[in-house]
Structures are given as structure tokens and as C-alpha cells.
Amino acid sequence: MEELVIRDADVVDGSGAPWYRADVVVDSGRIVSIVKEAADAGCQRPKARRELDAEGLVLSPGFIDMHAHSDLALLRDPDHSAKAAQGVTLEVLGQDGLSYAPVDDRTLEEVRRAVTGWNGHGDDIDFDWRTVGEYLDRLDRGIAVNAAYLIPQGTVRALAVGWEDRAATPEELDRMRRLVAEGMEQGAVGMSSGLTYTPGMYAEDAELTELCRVVAHYGGYYCPHHRSYGAGALEAYAEMVALTREAGCSLHLAHATMNFGVNEGRAPELLALLDEALAAGADISLDTYPYTPGCTTLVALLPGWASEGGPEAILERLADDETSERIRHHLEVIGSDGCHGVPVEWDTIEIAGVTDPALTEYVGRRLDGWTTARHLLLTDRLAPTILQHVGHEENVRTIMRHRVHTGGSDGILQGAKPHPRAYGTFPRYLGTYVRELGVLSLEECVAHLTSRPASRLRLPDRGLVKEGYRADLVLFDPKTVTPGSTFENPRRLPTGIPHVLIDGKFVIEDGERTEVLAGRAVRNSPM
């Protein structure tokens, strides 16, 4: 007898097709049968050792978070309810060009310091890996949800070139190609970049194109945080489209927003650019989070020249009064490349987290100028995270309707007051943008969060409620599902998602996190 039958569920199968009522039988981590309209068909209903009454609940595939920053959180926090309670069954890590493999001892320490604001410094982590394969093996010991990995181009550049603003030598470029090839062979699904973050931003298009050729050879995709989301955003998007077309590589645009005042109401221009490329045969997808503010580190706003050389060099420049004044002028008058070419508006920047307890009074406050920003950067050694209130709701809604759109939280879990998207992205899509606003139908929205990302990741047996597919499943109440997280209380868990299964095992049961660690590394499928 099979393990589980989910009885009388309203199945939204992830394909975009209309929902239907069914009994769904799960065994050995797979969906083994689906009996449609079982209650009304007059046929013998399937039985199993356990029955779950799903009357009034929607059964859908597990949600795939296409842009996650849980690279260390999955290791330090077995509970990981921030994502599991949302119905997320797979996260894509290694984002924005900076993560923890491949590295050597030097690069690992540099990267840890550079992204302390994203993931913490990692003093509580045993960094017993150096390669992509070893990191994925570490995940395979058991984690809360499944995880795929993107090779971080900035980390690769730090390893092969360093943190200098210069072109790679032919020998260095060859090494970067080998590192990317090795990472893909070991299971990475693609490569990411952070082209407003050092040292990835120092790579010219020719260098990125060569690395994308390697990614394409292994059937992966390129996921850039491109060079601007503010002034020149459309040109930055077009640059990535042209670059990947030249390389013959699939493109997935990370947190594809149109932010800052210069881009208000301009989302249709972005979508027209993408539609033209898609019509010409390009393979493009994108992800967004359903909120207007962004979230990053305070140090990321600095101009690229101020960040050259890595964290210690940044601190030295900040401590020097003359250089600090140059940085301020670049930020406030010229428009820093780190701030997307737009002169910074300090009152849009809210401190989300610090690591120095003496600075906690700043959390939740808007900055009043460069003097305070400099003090925080020096005292907290580049660790503060920020919310940047620069988005536009019209743009958010327009982009999420597009046929290649997927969901990504971009969730930074560090800090006392993180962005609520880390805990609320997926229930916000379902509750706010489906039920309350009607921006998407339920069937459309679920497809955006399940089968579309599964297709981008080339997963042959995930993303649909379908016989033979993996039993990564979510049961939610479409009438009540809502994020609990708010900007005031960002760590509240959602409501209306009573059950989440990974590999047929309950990780959320009756609204409570179980002790099950069913997540594993999801590796690149061979071509």
C-alpha cells in the first residue's frame, strides 16, 4: 500500500491549465497516481497508509525561489522556516556573482568579508569545502529545502585575478574558463554576476562572453545582476541580451526591476526589448520579488574605484578624509556606479541590519547623509545592510505579468530588520497579487512560481503535479494565504500554508515545521 493519499485537493498543477479536483497518491518520494474528480466519479477511491483531507485547499508543486541568499543559512539553520513555511521547496544559490565556491583560503576569507551583510561572516560555519562539488556535497548531508547553485563570476575573478580593476590576462582568462567548466561539471546550473559589485564589475563584456560560452557548452544559463537598475537600466539590459546572444547562452535576468525616479512607468520599454529578443529566438527568463524597495549592503553603493582591492582597501579609503570626500562627491553629485548611476538620496536608505551591537540604534532609521553612512561603514567594518525605497508599484505589476517571469525573493536573512520579502515573497504573490488585486490568475501565478523556473533549471521531474514527478508539493488555502512579514515585523511567518512536502516528506505539517531535512543539492542535468 502506498504511503500517502491527499484527498479532495483542488489541484493547480503548475502548467497554467485550469484547476481540477483530485486525489493524489504519493509513494517513495514520487506522485504515483492522480484520480480526478474521485469523489464524484463513483469509482473506488485510492487508499494509502495515511490519508490527508485537503478539502478547501489548493495542491500545487513546490515553489522555486530563483534568487536566494541562503548559501550559509541552509547550513546554520536546519529549521529554515523563512523559506519552508512559504512553500519553497527549492532555492537557487550563488547569486549576484559572490558566494563561497570555488575558492582557495585567501579568496574564501575575502569573500566572507565582502558579503558579511548578506550571509553573516560565517564564524559559526565549518568551511570544509573549496570546490563547487564539495559545497554541493555538503548540502547533500541534509538541509531544509532543496538547493541549486550558480557559479559566482565575481568569486571566480577574485580567485584568478584578484580584486583589481583591470582586464584579465590571457592566462587568467584561461583559468577562469577552467574554473567555470569544473563548476558546471560538478553540478552548477549556471553562472551569476554582480556587475555593480566588486570584483565582478571589473569584467568587460568580452571576458563575460567567454565565460558564458563555457556555461552554454554545459547547458547552463547566465544570471546577471547587470550594470544598472537606475540610470541607463535599459541599456544595461540590452547589454546582457546582446552578450548572451553572442555567447549562445541562455539568459535569466536577476531581480528584473526598473527602479529609481528615472524609470518610473518604463517597465513596458523593458518588456518590449525582451519581446523583440524572444521573437528573434533568444532564450530569456527573469525573476522579480513583489515589493517596491530593494535590499543590499551599504558598501555596495560606493563607486567601483573606491572598492578596488577588496575590503581592507575600502576601509583605508573610508578612513582617509580626503578620499572620503571624493567618495561623498561621487555618491551625491555624480552618481555612483554602485548606486546605479543615480545620485544617492539618503532619505530613501533605511538601515536593515548591523553586526556591532553598539550600532543597533540605527536599525530601522533612514540615513541623514554621508557622515552617518561613513561612520556605520567604518565602525561595522562594511557589514550594514540597507533597504532602498526606490521602486514603483506600476513597474512591479507590469513585469510580473510577462510570460517569462518567475518568482525570486532575493531574500537576505541577516540583520535585525531584513526586507520582508525574505519571509513573504511567495504568499504575497498568492494573497496580494492573485486574491486581492487580481493581477494574475491563480493558475498563472502558480505556473510562474513552479513550472517556469523548473524549465529554466532543466529539471525533468519537478515543477508540475504530474504522475512520476517528485512529490515536492504545497497545500495552501487560497482564501487565507497571506504573508505574515511586514516592514515593521519582517520575520513573521505566513498563514494559510498548512502543509509542505519535499520528496514526499512533510517539512511543514499542520502549519508547524517538522524535524525533517529532506532537501538536497539539485545538480545540473547532463545535456
Side-chain angles (χ1 to χ4, degrees):
M1 183 177 288
E2 282 79 15
E3 295 171 2
L4 172 68
V5 58
I6 302 171
R7 186 82 72 199
D8 290 326
D10 294 338
V11 178
V12 178
D13 67 6
S15 70
W19 70 273
Y20 59 86
R21 180 70 58 85
D23 291 353
V24 178
V25 182
V26 172
D27 192 67
S28 301
R30 300 271 175 177
I31 299 169
V32 296
S33 68
I34 300 172
V35 182
K36 295 184 179 181
E37 303 295 344
D40 302 321
C43 61
Q44 185 171 350
R45 306 187 70 176
K47 296 182 180 180
R49 291 194 295 273
R50 176 177 176 182
E51 294 189 5
L52 177 64
D53 182 4
E55 181 71 36
L57 298 178
V58 166
L59 175 67
S60 82
F63 305 136
I64 298 176
D65 188 343
M66 287 296 287
H67 193 104
H69 288 285
S70 302
D71 307 49
L72 299 186
L74 280 165
L75 300 179
R76 71 161 56 96
D77 177 19
D79 181 84
H80 201 51
S81 287
K83 295 301 179 67
Q86 293 187 60
V88 171
T89 58
L90 170 61
E91 298 183 89
V92 184
L93 314 177
Q95 300 287 348
D96 295 329
L98 288 168
S99 190
Y100 306 95
V103 292
D104 56 14
D105 291 351
R106 170 190 63 83
T107 308
L108 175 61
E109 182 55 31
E110 291 168 345
V111 170
R112 287 173 64 180
R113 294 193 60 191
V115 294
T116 293
W118 293 356
N119 299 312
H121 187 260
D123 293 332
D124 53 342
I125 302 294
D126 178 11
F127 288 90
D128 58 352
W129 69 86
R130 293 297 180 268
T131 68
V132 169
E134 290 168 349
Y135 176 68
L136 297 178
D137 289 344
R138 176 68 179 275
L139 298 178
D140 272 341
R141 297 179 196 175
I143 48 179
V145 304
N146 296 310
Y149 189 72
L150 296 166
I151 300 164
Q153 170 260 329
T155 298
V156 167
R157 198 173 210 274
L159 182 56
V161 180
W163 297 72
E164 292 77 34
D165 183 1
R166 63 174 177 83
T169 66
E171 294 77 17
E172 290 166 341
L173 182 56
D174 282 343
R175 188 182 181 196
M176 285 191 282
R177 286 196 197 97
R178 290 195 302 273
L179 289 166
V180 172
E182 290 167 3
M184 294 299 297
E185 289 168 358
Q186 292 164 9
V189 296
M191 181 180 75
S192 75
S193 284
L195 300 179
T196 65
Y197 300 129
T198 56
M201 69 189 308
Y202 302 140
E204 297 181 353
D205 284 2
E207 178 181 315
L208 296 172
T209 300
E210 288 302 307
L211 299 184
C212 283
R213 292 188 199 278
V214 178
V215 173
H217 175 75
Y218 290 94
Y221 67 92
Y222 182 42
C223 180
H225 165 126
H226 52 272
R227 299 191 194 274
S228 178
Y229 291 82
L234 288 171
E235 292 80 3
Y237 281 112
E239 176 191 9
M240 295 298 100
V241 170
L243 185 157
T244 49
R245 192 167 187 177
E246 172 69 20
C249 188
S250 300
L251 173 64
H252 180 83
L253 296 165
H255 38 59
T257 59
M258 292 289 286
N259 286 340
F260 302 91
V262 294
N263 289 318
E264 185 172 4
R266 299 188 70 189
E269 296 176 58
L270 167 61
L271 300 184
L273 184 158
L274 299 183
D275 283 338
E276 181 179 357
L278 288 163
D283 181 10
I284 300 174
S285 55
L286 58 87
D287 66 69
T288 68
Y289 47 83
Y291 297 85
T292 52
C295 179
T296 186
T297 56
L298 182 57
V299 67
L301 304 186
L302 301 187
W305 62 261
S307 299
E308 184 179 6
E312 285 301 323
I314 298 171
L315 289 167
E316 290 176 8
R317 293 186 182 102
L318 288 168
D320 179 76
D321 289 344
E322 183 176 342
T323 308
S324 171
E325 175 57 23
R326 285 183 59 207
I327 295 171
R328 182 205 65 77
H329 181 77
H330 211 125
L331 279 166
E332 296 181 353
V333 179
I334 299 173
S336 161
D337 49 3
C339 196
H340 307 280
V342 177
V344 68
E345 298 177 64
W346 294 114
D347 62 354
T348 69
I349 297 174
E350 177 185 355
I351 299 300
V354 295
T355 61
D356 186 341
L359 299 173
T360 54
E361 64 179 289
Y362 290 94
V363 174
R365 285 169 47 180
R366 303 286 182 110
L367 289 179
D368 56 8
W370 171 241
T371 299
T372 302
R374 180 191 184 194
H375 167 68
L376 290 170
L377 288 166
L378 283 168
T379 306
D380 208 27
R381 297 187 64 79
L382 314 182
T385 53
I386 61 170
L387 302 182
Q388 200 166 10
H389 297 267
V390 292
H392 306 285
E393 179 65 21
E394 179 186 353
N395 286 348
V396 170
R397 298 187 192 189
T398 299
I399 294 170
M400 75 168 63
R401 293 188 184 101
H402 197 269
R403 66 187 185 279
V404 300
H405 170 267
T406 67
S409 71
D410 196 12
I412 294 175
L413 299 167
Q414 292 295 303
K417 197 172 182 288
H419 196 302
R421 69 193 186 194
Y423 285 72
T425 285
F426 295 87
R428 182 168 168 83
Y429 269 119
L430 297 169
T432 302
Y433 289 94
V434 172
R435 184 181 64 244
E436 296 175 9
L437 299 176
V439 175
L440 295 168
S441 72
L442 181 58
E443 290 87 348
E444 286 176 317
C445 185
V446 169
H448 288 219
L449 307 181
T450 59
S451 63
R452 286 189 191 174
S455 177
R456 166 52 68 216
L457 295 167
R458 296 194 303 115
L459 303 177
D461 57 358
R462 301 176 198 261
L464 293 171
V465 178
K466 185 175 180 180
E467 291 181 358
Y469 272 51
R470 290 182 178 270
D472 293 352
L473 302 168
V474 181
L475 283 149
F476 62 90
D477 184 343
K479 297 178 181 178
T480 64
V481 61
T482 190
S485 60
T486 64
F487 286 99
E488 293 72 28
N489 295 286
R491 295 187 187 276
R492 285 181 179 167
L493 298 179
T495 57
I497 306 178
H499 303 291
V500 180
L501 294 86
I502 295 178
D503 201 32
K505 303 175 180 67
F506 285 88
V507 296
I508 300 291
E509 186 172 10
D510 295 323
E512 299 292 332
R513 178 72 172 92
T514 71
E515 295 182 355
V516 170
L517 296 176
R520 298 293 185 271
V522 174
R523 289 170 166 80
N524 179 41
S525 301
M527 291 288 287

